[in-house]
């Protein structure tokens, strides 16, 4: 398995290192100055999620894909928790990451535009991931029960959690994001969307909106 699914696999087996890696990745950002010398990037949960989704899709395109249902369930569960963190909190975490790394990479962090660029990249990565997850939960093919080869994304628990991810992200982002999700995504296409996804999404929006400290609650 590649690095993202390997970490999830270790965590599922109760490995302390694997569990610790997932917890750290969900909670902080790290500065990567080594992958592409001279070009800084940050790595956090949204990067990890992107890698993991790519890996699942690549494995499922093979002739004999492994059973990744448990991996996708854990990925969705942690992602929902991270999605409850407002984008403004993500930006503060990146600021903390850059401040902690400023001494060792001072020559690369001299310009304030670099920090703004890294924050913008992370915002875009979060948004792209939400689009990918929304396309999964609104895809009828993942709800078919008579398919010969069932995708790990067809797991009912994973689908439920992914609906919760999209809902949690909208609620934590603010009222405009909730309005956009409901009025521009769900309502206009409600007749062509999987009924389960619509019901689950609306239920999770209500649940998330009642959360403590929620911007729209």
């Amino acid at each position: 398995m590649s690095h993202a699914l390997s970490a999830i696999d270790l965590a599922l087996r109760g490995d302390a290192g694997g569990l610790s890696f997932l917890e750290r990745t969900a909670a902080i950002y790290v500065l990567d100055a080594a992958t592409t010398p001279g070009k800084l990037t940050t790595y956090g949960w949204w990067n990890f999620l992107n890698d993991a989704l790519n890996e699942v899709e690549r494995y499922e395109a093979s002739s004999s894909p492994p059973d990744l249902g448990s991996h996708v369930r854990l990925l969705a569960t942690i992602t929902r928790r991270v999605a409850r963190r407002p984008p403004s909190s993500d930006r503060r975490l990146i600021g903390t990451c850059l401040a902690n790394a400023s001494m060792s990479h001072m020559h690369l962090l001299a310009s304030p535009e670099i920090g703004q660029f890294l924050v913008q990249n992370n915002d875009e990565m979060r948004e792209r991931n939400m689009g990918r997850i929304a396309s999964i939960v609104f895809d009828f093919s993942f709800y078919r029960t008579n398919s010969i080869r069932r995708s790990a994304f067809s797991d009912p628990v994973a689908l439920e959690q992914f609906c919760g991810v999209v809902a949690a992200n909208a609620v934590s982002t603010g009222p405009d994001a909730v309005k956009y999700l409901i009025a521009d995504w769900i309502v206009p296409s409600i007749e062509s969307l999987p009924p389960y996804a619509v019901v689950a999404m609306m239920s999770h929006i209500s649940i998330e909106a009642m959360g403590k400290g929620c911007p729209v609650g």
Side-chain angles (χ1 to χ4, degrees):
M1 289 185 177
S2 300
H3 79 280
L5 290 183
S6 292
I8 295 173
D9 192 65
L10 287 171
L12 288 170
R13 297 174 188 274
D15 179 81
L19 291 167
S20 176
F21 175 82
L22 294 184
E23 287 296 326
R24 289 197 311 272
T25 305
I28 65 173
Y29 287 87
V30 295
L31 189 69
D32 179 6
T35 302
T36 306
K39 182 180 179 181
L40 292 177
T41 58
T42 56
Y43 193 90
W45 186 260
W46 304 120
N47 308 87
F48 180 84
L49 173 63
N50 183 67
D51 291 343
L53 292 175
N54 288 341
E55 290 174 20
V56 172
E57 290 176 351
R58 184 167 63 251
Y59 276 115
E60 294 203 332
S62 65
S63 57
S64 300
D67 182 4
L68 298 174
S70 298
H71 299 71
V72 172
R73 285 196 294 271
L74 180 58
L75 182 69
T77 299
I78 299 177
T79 300
R80 181 174 185 175
R81 191 180 73 195
V82 179
R84 288 175 173 145
R85 189 168 65 211
S88 57
S89 295
D90 272 351
R91 295 172 194 135
R92 285 194 294 271
L93 288 173
I94 291 178
T96 300
C97 166
L98 298 180
N100 291 338
S102 61
M103 296 304 295
S104 56
H105 299 91
M106 189 175 294
H107 63 295
L108 296 175
L109 294 169
S111 171
E113 285 78 15
I114 294 176
Q116 295 170 6
F117 172 76
L118 294 175
V119 167
Q120 182 179 353
N121 275 359
N122 187 69
D123 286 346
E124 291 174 356
M125 178 63 73
R126 178 172 180 156
E127 187 174 344
R128 285 200 302 272
N129 278 315
M130 288 304 135
R132 291 183 72 177
I133 293 173
S135 69
I136 290 171
V137 300
F138 289 139
D139 186 339
F140 266 105
S141 68
F142 293 124
Y143 296 88
R144 294 174 184 155
T145 57
N146 58 349
S147 176
I148 298 176
R149 284 182 55 176
R150 284 179 61 81
S151 167
F153 295 125
S154 297
D155 181 89
V157 176
L159 283 170
E160 172 85 15
Q161 286 286 27
F162 276 141
C163 286
V165 167
V166 177
N169 180 73
V171 171
S172 68
T173 301
D176 289 341
V178 175
K179 181 180 178 181
Y180 175 76
L181 175 60
I182 297 174
D184 293 359
W185 269 68
I186 297 177
V187 173
S189 306
I190 195 165
E191 296 297 331
S192 60
L193 296 175
Y196 176 87
V198 173
V199 173
M201 191 76 69
M202 297 306 296
S203 174
H204 285 300
I205 289 173
S206 300
I207 292 170
E208 296 292 338
M210 292 188 291
K212 183 179 180 181
C214 158
V216 297

